[in-house]
Amino acid sequence: MRNNDLKPETLSAQALGHVDETTGAVTPPIHLSTTFERNADNSYPKGFVYTRSENPTYDVAEDLLARLENGAGGLIFSAGMSAAVAPFMTLRPGDHVLAPTVMYWALRSWLLDFTAQWNIEIDFFDVNKPESATDLVRPGNTKLVWIETPANPLWDCLDIAWFAQLSHDSGARLCVDSTAASPVLSRPIDHGADLVMHSATKYLNGHSDVLGGALIAAKADEWWDDIRRVRTAHGMVMGPFEAWLLLRGMRTLHLRVRKASENAMTIAEHFHNHPKVASVLYPGLPTHATHDVAAKQMEDGFGGMLSLRIDGGEKAAIKTAANLELIHRATSLGGVESLVEHRASIEGKGTPVPADLLRFSIGIEDVGDLIQDLEQALLAV
Ligand code: PLP
């Protein structure tokens, strides 16, 4: 069968069908070398020069990501944050960017510092009124529109196609942080996005043992070359071992994400009318404010992330987390094990996150065990 006809599950499971030419190994080798030899004629015969720019171990993971997202190219980074900041680092003083009020908090605070320092203008549109972005976009001056969907930690979904249209009509590019969805559930480029970003630390790797990031571009144009130059110049690359682990994680991506989504949906439905839960925030529930948007641009499930607002406020929320015996109290998301976090505590002063909110990254455990743990934790508050 031709590689182009294969389904994403097959491409992931077989790491694009890679078989090592020298040994016949069916898993791609790790190339730890930081440097590559020139020919006597001074050329680089294989195209590899130095690992801060490129390394064969990155290539398989990057090619797979590009295929999964239907993009023209992929780049992996040392962290989700380095992947997220790279497109902003291609901007010039005086350029304008647009971002949502609710987004990954560390990126939001970096953006505030970076734009102030480099004289880049920024506006934040209200995620509850996304159409307000129309009044904030500046045709010709807005260069980048950033959205995150589903967005941490309320899981509001923004309409990618609508934002792509708005961006393109104004001469801007749209970048989507699709970390919570993963390419299994949503492919933003199919909806018009120019760039997709992932914290590869989360679902792509999936085992809470690699820090990484990824960008996938709709077009391999000059802007994409600029982004690659930013990565090389700042050494924002992963180590080859981490790149290899990431590729290994991606081989089970579809199984993991589907199981986590199924578990999260079951948990959301179970606790939806629970006497100790004020509300369940999960885009898969028809009662979620942005369920229709989610249903339009996500397929095969709504992801493993959900938040519970606990009856009784902040104290009750923190006590519920403390009572959990199976679900670990830890930051991050997208691993095979379930995690819980009181987000307002980690985000600190000025966070838009309600104090009674617990964020859950639902893993691939038996869902009955997870429900039992949550039930006993809520009962003991
Ligand atoms: N984007 C989202 C949605 C995230 O949740 C995170 C991390 O939690 C990041 C970006 C940053 O990724 P990293 O921690 O890999 O730098």
Side-chain angles (χ1 to χ4, degrees):
M1 265 173 105
R2 285 184 317 133
N3 194 285
N4 277 351
D5 300 328
L6 298 173
K7 299 278 185 293
E9 291 85 335
T10 311
L11 296 172
S12 292
Q14 294 211 355
L16 293 176
H18 192 284
V19 177
D20 184 50
E21 280 174 18
T22 324
T23 61
V26 298
T27 60
I30 311 177
H31 295 275
L32 292 171
S33 188
T34 52
T35 191
F36 300 85
E37 195 176 36
R38 279 187 197 263
N39 265 354
D41 66 4
N42 219 28
S43 67
Y44 282 103
K46 309 279 185 201
F48 297 102
V49 178
Y50 187 55
T51 286
R52 181 152 48 77
S53 315
E54 63 272 309
N55 178 294
T57 320
Y58 308 158
D59 285 1
V60 195
E62 290 176 344
D63 291 349
L64 177 58
L65 279 165
R67 286 293 294 276
L68 295 182
E69 290 285 5
N70 292 330
L75 285 174
I76 53 174
F77 287 76
S78 51
M81 277 301 284
S82 41
V85 303
F88 293 101
M89 292 174 81
T90 65
L91 298 174
R92 297 281 173 271
D95 287 347
H96 176 247
V97 297
L98 206 51
T101 45
V102 178
M103 61 189 292
Y104 178 57
W105 67 285
L107 180 60
R108 186 185 146 88
S109 75
W110 179 87
L111 267 178
L112 286 169
D113 288 347
F114 175 77
T115 52
Q117 195 178 346
W118 293 98
N119 204 16
I120 292 164
E121 312 233 359
I122 185 158
D123 277 304
F124 291 94
F125 63 88
D126 183 350
V127 271
N128 297 313
K129 290 189 214 101
E131 52 305 336
S132 64
T134 315
D135 299 328
L136 296 172
V137 78
R138 300 184 198 165
N141 181 215
T142 306
K143 293 293 185 316
L144 192 56
V145 177
W146 182 273
I147 62 172
E148 180 182 329
T149 182
N152 244 310
L154 307 176
W155 313 114
D156 285 314
C157 296
L158 291 170
D159 188 330
I160 301 168
W162 188 86
F163 274 94
Q165 185 78 48
L166 178 78
S167 309
H168 298 158
D169 287 352
S170 314
R173 291 184 171 103
L174 176 68
C175 182
V176 180
D177 182 340
S178 192
T179 297
S182 89
V184 178
L185 307 180
S186 181
R187 285 162 299 282
I189 289 172
D190 291 353
H191 300 278
D194 300 284
L195 200 61
V196 183
M197 178 256 148
H198 289 280
S199 164
T201 315
K202 318 300 183 196
Y203 289 103
L204 294 181
N205 177 61
H207 294 77
S208 306
D209 53 12
V210 169
L211 197 69
L215 289 175
I216 301 96
K219 288 191 213 119
D221 56 10
E222 274 178 25
W223 188 47
W224 187 232
D225 292 340
D226 284 351
I227 291 173
R228 179 186 279 278
R229 271 194 288 276
V230 167
R231 185 184 76 161
T232 301
H234 295 83
M236 294 163 149
V237 284
M238 269 185 176
F241 181 57
E242 282 74 16
W244 182 86
L245 271 179
L246 169 63
L247 181 69
R248 189 174 75 159
M250 285 199 289
R251 296 180 81 148
T252 54
L253 177 68
H254 293 78
L255 286 177
R256 288 186 284 101
V257 171
R258 286 188 184 131
K259 173 69 174 158
S261 291
E262 270 169 38
N263 280 357
M265 189 69 184
T266 307
I267 291 171
E269 283 168 342
H270 182 93
F271 289 98
H272 182 45
N273 284 319
H274 194 281
K276 298 238 173 165
V277 175
S279 64
V280 177
L281 302 173
Y282 185 63
L285 289 180
T287 48
H288 189 273
T290 61
H291 173 70
D292 290 350
V293 177
K296 191 177 109 177
Q297 63 195 24
M298 297 179 84
E299 60 188 60
D300 259 7
F302 295 91
M305 298 305 300
L306 64 85
S307 296
L308 301 185
R309 295 190 64 178
I310 306 297
D311 203 41
E314 180 171 9
K315 269 198 178 149
I318 292 174
K319 183 78 175 53
T320 305
N323 291 343
L324 289 165
E325 291 168 2
L326 180 65
I327 300 174
H328 299 295
R329 286 174 298 280
T331 195
S332 202
L333 59 102
V336 287
E337 67 287 300
S338 294
L339 304 179
V340 64
E341 183 168 51
H342 183 250
R343 277 308 289 178
S345 296
I346 194 159
E347 296 192 15
K349 244 184 161 179
T351 172
V353 177
D356 61 1
L357 182 143
L358 289 180
R359 183 186 85 174
F360 289 86
S361 170
I362 300 300
I364 65 168
E365 303 95 333
D366 176 82
V367 73
D369 287 346
L370 296 175
I371 289 176
Q372 211 180 347
D373 192 30
L374 261 163
E375 281 284 8
Q376 67 76 24
L378 286 164
L379 193 69
V381 171

